[in-house]
């Protein structure tokens, strides 16, 4: 039950959004037991986002996961998320933050896991 939220001050066309969503769907499998089948993605583009005192292209990505996250796997996923956003949106990797959150209770389909 992972969720990836991407906020950026760059513009994301519908075509780019689909490409990024598909690449994130593959990338989430870097975390043990996670797959695109359960992945929810959301995108907020054209945000008023400042980083290092500049409004040059930047992104803040939040990855929420039910259960524990293996730190080495998170390292691999961070690298892949940065590669995806750099390649698709021309955001320099040193202008991307990735935040991880482990969730102990996750609701779905009228109940909780």
């Amino acid at each position: 039950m992972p969720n990836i939220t991407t906020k950026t001050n760059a513009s994301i066309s519908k075509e780019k959004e689909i490409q990024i969503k598909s690449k994130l769907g593959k990338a989430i499998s870097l975390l043990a037991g996670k797959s695109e089948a359960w992945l929810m993605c959301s995108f907020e583009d054209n945000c008023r986002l400042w980083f290092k005192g500049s409004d040059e292209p930047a992104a803040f990505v939040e990855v929420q996961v039910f259960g524990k996250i293996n730190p080495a796997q998170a390292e691999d996923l961070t690298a892949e998320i940065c590669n995806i956003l750099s390649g698709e949106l021309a955001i320099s990797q040193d202008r991307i933050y990735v935040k991880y959150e482990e969730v102990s209770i996750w609701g779905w389909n009228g109940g909780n896991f």
Side-chain angles (χ1 to χ4, degrees):
M1 286 59 62
N3 175 68
I4 300 177
T5 301
T6 302
K7 295 179 183 179
T8 180
N9 55 1
S11 293
I12 305 175
S13 68
K14 186 66 172 177
E15 295 79 18
K16 282 288 182 189
E17 183 176 310
I18 291 168
Q19 290 172 356
I20 295 167
K21 181 255 336 157
S22 295
K23 289 180 179 186
L24 291 174
K26 291 182 178 99
I28 198 65
S29 66
L30 292 168
L31 300 181
K34 307 304 176 192
S35 70
E36 185 176 22
W38 289 94
L39 176 62
M40 182 176 282
C41 292
S42 64
F43 300 92
E44 296 178 38
D45 66 343
N46 298 310
C47 292
R48 293 191 322 218
L49 187 64
W50 292 80
F51 184 48
K52 297 181 180 180
S54 164
D55 66 349
E56 292 177 36
F60 181 70
V61 181
E62 295 179 271
V63 180
Q64 290 109 4
V65 175
F66 177 66
K68 295 292 182 186
I69 300 170
N70 176 299
Q73 293 172 356
E75 186 82 25
D76 292 341
L77 182 56
T78 296
E80 188 57 22
I81 288 170
C82 289
N83 284 334
I84 292 167
L85 296 181
S86 175
E88 294 295 332
L89 299 177
I91 299 173
S92 177
Q93 292 192 23
D94 69 345
R95 295 186 57 81
I96 301 170
Y97 274 166
V98 182
K99 173 190 167 193
Y100 290 87
E101 183 178 350
E102 299 173 335
V103 179
S104 61
I105 300 173
W106 198 286
W108 172 74
N109 196 27
N112 291 334
F113 291 97

